[in-house]
Amino acid sequence: MTSTGLPESLIATLPGSAYTDPGFFAQEQEHIFEAMWFCAVRSADLAGPGAFRTVQVGRESILITRARDQSVRAFFNVCRHRGAKLCTAESGEVKRAFQCPYHAWTYDLTGKLVAAPNLTKMPDVSRTEYGLAAVATREWLGYVWVCLAADPPPFDEVVQDVVARLGDTESIEHYGIEDLGVGRRIVYDVRANWKLIVENFMECYHCATIHPELTEVLPEFADGYAAQYYVGHGAEFGSDVQGFTVDGSEGLDRIPGVTEDQDRRYYAITVRPQVFINLVPDHVIFHRMYPVAADRTIVECDWLYLKHVVESGKDVSRSVELFDRVNRQDFDACERCQPAMSSRLYAKGGVLVPSEHHIGEFHTFVQERLGAGRPQ
């Protein structure tokens, strides 16, 4: 037995309240989602000047748009006059400016205040100072990442999660994710805490039980060890499997940059706090989570292929169906766990077996972000 009273093979999880307590979730919103780099939208969704999307980041609605110089800009989606929500639509396009529907304060695509009723009679009002409040942005892997912190951490913290998984950045660059096109997008509304979803993605102890299609394509997953358990490891396709599809049939055109060592292999990466990246030779599956409550998470999943594959209208359904089934199986499992998080039996949490011990590092990350120590 260890000092925790557990056998050497087991380590403790977070307590059940970490998955149900609104106060705990509020702390996560403040110290994780509003303080770290958050993957918000696919860059291609902002096709030209004036295209926009609104995204919930922690407790804040964020407006993301493309300016006339093609740069991406992000702002708090709040009018500086009386605090009305500036854009209520999830996505859309404006010609030149955003106008508040309450009192018609109007802002250009750089956030500058350009018009308001009687504004010319208020010469002391700075058009810049009373413009929209900007949010830091970066584009990487074809996605827009935002950070709400007044002093954003180095973006290298995001990149290092990929390095920790693959061993370097070159390995992911071979897939040219920024140049791929969205072949399919599915949005899932999951009635479970975001951490249950992360933990599920990180381990494969459950794979033989609930993922029959996945273990047919990736036989080693039936042994319970996820690819993420080993730095640089990609799970190899079964010998009779031709592609990463629901029936193991041949996939689509291979991404040219994929190396011989990466061919016929699957790599999974968790980028904290809310991104999953799945790499296979002919496509990339990119998940973004939007935690909206202690017991609810929106997950937006993109299937990315070479642009000519998307533009030609080729059938991508067999590859989409494989991971769509995996997602639904996973999310169903998470939703089965969520009610039990409030059980008195789970007040002190559960346990992790050896093939799940790396999840303990994720739990430590959460506790450290919230300023606490590891659970005992």
Side-chain angles (χ1 to χ4, degrees):
M1 293 285 183
T2 64
S3 59
T4 62
L6 293 173
E8 293 284 350
S9 297
L10 304 177
I11 61 175
T13 69
L14 295 171
S17 59
Y19 304 87
T20 61
D21 180 9
F24 194 97
F25 181 67
Q27 289 292 304
E28 292 175 329
Q29 289 178 305
E30 178 180 357
H31 298 291
I32 296 178
F33 307 121
E34 297 172 15
M36 299 178 67
W37 287 98
F38 187 101
C39 188
V41 302
R42 181 77 178 161
S43 295
D45 290 344
L46 307 174
F52 71 86
R53 280 196 66 179
T54 55
V55 174
Q56 192 71 23
V57 180
R59 298 162 296 181
E60 301 286 352
S61 176
I62 303 300
L63 169 64
I64 306 170
T65 190
R66 194 173 294 279
R68 306 201 73 80
D69 64 359
Q70 297 298 322
S71 64
V72 171
R73 306 295 182 101
F75 311 98
F76 287 90
N77 188 20
V78 178
C79 180
R80 296 299 305 280
H81 172 221
R82 295 270 295 282
K85 185 178 246 187
L86 190 61
C87 285
T88 56
E90 290 185 2
S91 63
E93 186 174 342
V94 296
K95 289 185 177 180
R96 296 181 179 277
F98 296 97
Q99 186 175 83
C100 179
Y102 192 7
H103 294 94
W105 278 40
T106 305
Y107 307 87
D108 70 13
L109 302 181
T110 68
K112 182 180 178 181
L113 177 65
V114 293
N118 304 318
L119 184 60
T120 56
K121 297 179 180 179
M122 298 177 280
D124 58 332
V125 175
S126 167
R127 308 292 183 95
T128 302
E129 183 179 350
Y130 285 90
L132 296 177
V135 170
T137 64
R138 286 287 300 268
E139 290 187 80
W140 189 54
L141 301 179
Y143 285 83
V144 178
W145 306 66
V146 300
C147 184
L148 277 55
D151 184 18
F155 193 77
D156 189 57
E157 289 186 5
V158 176
V159 179
Q160 283 305 308
D161 272 355
V162 173
V163 173
R165 168 67 187 91
L166 298 180
D168 54 47
T169 56
E170 291 78 9
S171 295
I172 199 168
E173 290 168 358
H174 293 156
Y175 293 82
I177 300 176
E178 65 278 6
D179 296 322
L180 301 180
V182 179
R184 188 72 58 83
R185 172 173 292 163
I186 299 178
V187 179
Y188 306 88
D189 191 338
V190 187
R191 296 290 176 169
N193 185 272
W194 69 281
K195 294 187 296 299
L196 289 176
I197 300 172
V198 174
E199 293 160 11
N200 173 278
F201 184 74
M202 291 182 70
E203 54 93 357
C204 211
Y205 191 47
H206 68 277
C207 287
T209 307
I210 71 171
H211 294 320
E213 300 89 354
L214 185 63
T215 53
E216 281 290 323
V217 175
L218 304 173
E220 67 183 73
F221 275 9
D223 294 333
Y225 280 90
Q228 294 188 72
Y229 195 82
Y230 311 97
V231 175
H233 177 72
E236 190 171 3
F237 293 3
S239 58
D240 58 346
V241 170
Q242 294 180 290
F244 197 73
T245 57
V246 70
D247 56 3
S249 59
E250 187 175 358
L252 296 151
D253 295 357
R254 176 176 157 183
I255 298 169
V258 170
T259 67
E260 189 174 334
D261 289 343
Q262 293 171 319
D263 194 21
R264 294 183 54 78
R265 288 186 179 272
Y266 161 84
Y267 298 86
I269 308 163
T270 302
V271 181
R272 296 169 297 181
Q274 41 79 249
V275 170
F276 308 145
I277 306 173
N278 307 271
L279 308 172
V280 292
D282 66 326
H283 64 282
V284 171
I285 309 163
F286 202 105
H287 297 69
R288 284 162 286 141
M289 291 193 301
Y290 302 92
V292 293
D295 59 356
R296 184 180 174 215
T297 308
I298 303 298
V299 183
E300 189 166 296
C301 184
D302 291 339
W303 279 260
L304 307 170
Y305 304 84
L306 292 171
K307 284 184 178 176
H308 76 260
V309 169
V310 176
E311 292 165 358
S312 69
K314 288 186 177 180
D315 183 9
V316 301
S317 62
R318 290 195 308 277
S319 56
V320 170
E321 185 177 353
L322 174 58
F323 225 84
D324 180 42
R325 287 194 192 185
V326 171
N327 281 339
R328 293 180 192 278
Q329 291 157 352
D330 281 339
F331 300 156
D332 180 64
C334 293
E335 289 180 339
R336 286 201 304 274
C337 289
Q338 183 64 40
M341 296 297 101
S342 58
S343 168
R344 69 184 71 180
L345 186 65
Y346 211 79
K348 294 184 179 180
V351 294
L352 300 171
V353 301
S355 63
E356 302 171 306
H357 281 190
H358 59 297
I359 295 175
E361 297 176 6
F362 169 65
H363 292 163
T364 298
F365 153 78
V366 171
Q367 293 283 18
E368 288 179 348
R369 292 297 309 185
L370 273 53
R374 278 276 303 175
Q376 300 299 315

